[in-house]
Amino acid sequence: MNKSKLAIGLLVVGTLTVVFGTVIVFVGPIIIDNQIVKNLVIDPKNEMSYTMWKDVPVPFFMNVYFFNVLNPTEVLAGEKPMVEQRGPYVYRKRIQKQNITFHPNHTVSYLEYRSYFFEPSMSVGNESDVVTIPNMLVLGAAVMMEDLPFAVRLMISTTFKTFKEGPFLTKSVGELMWGYDSKLVDFLNKWLPGMLPSTGKFGLFAEFNNSNTGLFTIHTGKDDIRLIHKVDSWNGLSKLTNWKTPQCNMINGTAGQMWPPFMTKESTLPFYSPDACRSLEMVYQREGIMEGIPLYRYVAPKTLFANGSDYAPNEGFCPCRQSGLLNVSSCRSNSPVFISHPHFYNADPVLLDYVQGLQPAEDEHGLFIDIHPETGVPLNVSIRLQLNLYMKKVSGITETGKISEVMMPMMWFEESGYIDGEILTTFHTNLVLLPKVMVYMQYCFIGLGLATILGVVLLYYRKKIRCDRAVIQNTNGSASPREQTPLLQHRVDTHTHTNSSLAQCCRALCLRLEPYSH
């Protein structure tokens, strides 16, 4: 009786274990997805994720490379420019959100401030290094004013000479980055306010340091996780005004730091960049793994900076030149400034013919974002862009000499960051290890339950087979009384009685187990 109860108990336990494991198979992923959604929503109650969003703890760095002009005199005489790359000059970037305001429609507004700090130990050289680059104030202004009357151009040329501004600058890296004193800049800011992007010292990154990127309003994801981080407006605008078509003026995607979760290989990474004055979009390239964490790598498509002739949707960003160049003059005080990939990577090959010293390579000059598809959190980021100045001879402005028409690379920079340390460990534990443990558990439960049920079934059939064999042996071992001799009669009777008792015992046992076999 005790063995029968044990068999019943094992059968019940095995069945429940299989059911529990099967439920986990279907419910487990739902639980994990719900936890991801719950923890990703931009909400001060989500302490860890909110802190990561507010004060980005990932170390970000900006590597700056200058193109030092080796033959400025020959360039003025019409020869091809020769450049050498100098750097990197590495700056640690600090990002912090301020003026955070939540709105009833599940959006949040903020100003994101950025600061840069030079890292000598990571740099090849120092900020005191001297390089020679084109003078944007002279050569840029010359192109901007080439359609003005000849007399006006002569007057502009005289102004340049008065303030001792030549076509090329030889300055330290620190001055070129963060600004240098210029009497011409002071003069222009006084008599032509608004002509220059900044009112203080003139530098390539002067307006970026200790500044904000504008007022972003993004979705928190509280009402719809598919909208999380997507831009609702920038500086109060839901669309731009500096481009020629509605499509080009659209503010698409996120602010460029995080994206909605549950991405697929068909998903893209759209984001709005105030520095590029437009929305950009990256596309899936391949799968990968970083410290055991699965990722998708997204890269810039060749159409990103293609001109309107090669890619019709980009017609609104024109006037265009060769493919691979983005004209940002409309949001840079109309100066002839163009953005491209470093060393004209993925650009029209003709651009390489105009300048000596460029060697484009995907590994060094292509931009990418490695992102965890389940959460939309970037794991490794490298954004690489090049600043170019369109130069040409302008009659009346003698500073331009006999310069050939050329798209002149001035410098390029790489902004990079990756998750590491405690954040990476926490990320790996919550999003890789725990889901794996749940997967292993569900199959362990199912396997254990099936093994238990199988053990009970085998035990039942084993006992049944023994009973059947005993009955058969008893039947075959019984002979007719007429065939037995008197001397063996007593022994046979004894043997028959024993077999009969054994058969009855087996039948009783089989009758007890029979209800549990159904």
Side-chain angles (χ1 to χ4, degrees):
M1 185 67 179
N2 290 336
K3 291 184 178 179
S4 300
K5 289 182 178 179
L6 178 61
I8 295 172
L10 290 175
L11 189 64
V12 172
V13 170
T15 303
L16 292 176
T17 304
V18 171
V19 171
F20 183 68
T22 305
V23 169
I24 293 180
V25 170
F26 295 99
V27 177
I30 298 176
I31 295 175
I32 293 175
D33 289 350
N34 286 339
Q35 284 299 311
I36 289 175
V37 170
K38 179 180 177 182
N39 292 325
L40 286 181
V41 170
I42 302 175
D43 189 334
K45 295 179 182 178
N46 293 336
E47 184 175 349
M48 179 179 176
S49 60
Y50 179 75
T51 302
M52 287 181 61
W53 171 80
K54 178 177 178 291
D55 302 313
V56 181
V58 176
F60 267 91
F61 297 93
M62 181 174 70
N63 298 349
V64 178
Y65 301 83
F66 281 93
F67 290 107
N68 183 45
V69 181
L70 300 176
N71 60 338
T73 303
E74 289 78 5
V75 172
L76 286 174
E79 295 186 18
K80 183 185 297 187
M82 295 177 59
V83 299
E84 65 171 356
Q85 181 174 287
R86 302 279 296 275
Y89 301 95
V90 182
Y91 296 85
R92 179 169 48 88
K93 181 180 180 181
R94 183 187 178 190
I95 304 172
Q96 188 177 35
K97 294 179 176 65
Q98 298 181 12
N99 295 58
I100 299 174
T101 306
F102 287 87
H103 306 292
N105 63 341
H106 305 298
T107 61
V108 57
S109 300
Y110 63 89
L111 291 172
E112 183 172 272
Y113 286 84
R114 51 193 174 180
S115 304
Y116 297 91
F117 306 89
F118 185 63
E119 294 285 349
S121 62
M122 301 174 67
S123 303
V124 179
N126 203 288
E127 281 192 307
S128 60
D129 292 352
V130 175
V131 296
T132 299
I133 65 171
N135 189 344
M136 290 183 62
L137 291 174
V138 174
L139 298 180
V143 174
M144 293 169 61
M145 301 177 183
E146 65 174 331
D147 294 328
L148 295 179
F150 186 78
V152 175
R153 281 178 271 151
L154 285 176
M155 184 178 65
I156 292 172
S157 182
T158 302
T159 303
F160 290 150
K161 291 179 177 62
T162 301
F163 291 104
K164 299 180 180 180
E165 292 284 351
F168 288 91
L169 281 174
T170 300
K171 297 283 186 181
S172 69
V173 169
E175 289 176 313
L176 293 175
M177 285 290 295
W178 311 119
Y180 56 90
D181 292 319
S182 169
K183 293 181 180 180
L184 175 61
V185 172
D186 295 337
F187 174 81
L188 292 175
N189 284 330
K190 180 178 181 179
W191 298 103
L192 297 171
M195 181 178 178
L196 299 177
S198 59
T199 57
K201 295 182 178 181
F202 184 80
L204 298 176
F205 279 78
E207 61 179 305
F208 297 114
N209 198 19
N210 298 317
S211 64
N212 65 73
T213 56
L215 182 65
F216 273 97
T217 301
I218 66 173
H219 292 271
T220 63
K222 195 169 185 178
D223 58 332
D224 188 348
I225 197 63
R226 294 172 298 180
L227 297 178
I228 188 171
H229 299 297
K230 289 192 174 182
V231 178
D232 181 66
S233 66
W234 176 74
N235 281 342
L237 302 173
S238 58
K239 60 181 180 180
L240 305 175
T241 58
N242 44 288
W243 305 113
K244 295 182 177 180
T245 64
Q247 181 179 355
C248 293
N249 278 320
M250 292 176 65
I251 298 178
N252 296 325
T254 72
Q257 292 180 351
M258 297 180 71
W259 282 265
F262 314 126
M263 304 179 68
T264 67
K265 295 177 181 179
E266 288 71 37
S267 302
T268 60
L269 293 189
F271 62 98
Y272 174 67
S273 170
D275 298 332
C277 311
R278 58 165 286 190
S279 297
L280 304 171
E281 187 172 46
M282 303 178 70
V283 296
Y284 171 85
Q285 184 191 52
R286 61 174 175 83
E287 291 181 297
I289 294 178
M290 175 181 169
E291 301 294 336
I293 302 175
L295 59 84
Y296 286 172
R297 170 159 289 191
Y298 286 82
V299 298
K302 289 186 177 181
T303 56
L304 183 64
F305 295 145
N307 61 26
S309 300
D310 292 340
Y311 187 61
N314 283 352
E315 184 66 35
F317 297 120
C318 293
C320 300
R321 301 196 66 81
Q322 294 89 347
S323 276
L325 299 170
L326 173 65
N327 187 347
V328 293
S329 60
S330 61
C331 63
R332 288 290 179 266
S333 304
N334 290 319
S335 59
V337 176
F338 291 75
I339 290 176
S340 70
H341 296 302
H343 287 245
F344 295 131
Y345 169 72
N346 259 353
D348 191 325
V350 73
L351 293 170
L352 297 175
D353 296 334
Y354 297 148
V355 181
Q356 294 184 31
L358 303 180
Q359 296 178 332
E362 180 180 1
D363 291 342
E364 297 180 14
H365 306 131
L367 60 86
F368 67 85
I369 297 178
D370 291 338
I371 198 164
H372 183 249
E374 288 297 311
T375 60
V377 175
L379 304 176
N380 188 20
V381 177
S382 181
I383 303 299
R384 300 159 174 162
L385 295 173
Q386 179 172 295
L387 185 65
N388 309 282
L389 180 67
Y390 175 59
M391 307 189 316
K392 62 183 295 187
K393 174 185 176 181
V394 177
S395 62
I397 302 179
T398 58
E399 284 74 14
T400 61
K402 298 179 180 179
I403 293 178
S404 300
E405 186 174 337
V406 61
M407 188 62 64
M408 186 69 183
M410 299 180 64
M411 53 87 70
W412 70 274
F413 62 92
E414 173 188 22
E415 288 201 343
S416 60
Y418 56 89
I419 291 180
D420 65 352
E422 184 179 348
I423 298 174
L424 181 63
T425 302
T426 303
F427 201 88
H428 185 268
T429 300
N430 293 337
L431 297 173
V432 177
L433 291 183
L434 292 182
K436 280 186 177 180
V437 169
M438 184 168 288
V439 171
Y440 293 147
M441 283 179 58
Q442 66 192 26
Y443 291 119
C444 286
F445 277 119
I446 293 174
L448 182 62
L450 291 175
T452 303
I453 294 172
L454 182 62
V456 173
V457 171
L458 290 176
L459 179 63
Y460 163 73
Y461 279 107
R462 183 180 178 186
K463 290 184 177 181
K464 186 175 181 181
I465 290 172
R466 285 181 178 178
C467 291
D468 292 343
R469 285 179 178 174
V471 172
I472 293 172
Q473 289 176 359
N474 177 63
T475 303
N476 293 337
S478 300
S480 174
R482 290 176 295 181
E483 298 175 355
Q484 298 174 350
T485 62
L487 293 175
L488 298 176
Q489 183 66 45
H490 177 70
R491 186 177 298 174
V492 170
D493 288 344
T494 303
H495 179 70
T496 303
H497 177 72
T498 302
N499 286 342
S500 176
S501 300
L502 180 60
Q504 290 176 2
C505 198
C506 287
R507 288 192 188 96
L509 180 59
C510 291
L511 288 172
R512 285 186 179 184
L513 290 175
E514 187 172 2
Y516 310 116
S517 65
H518 297 292

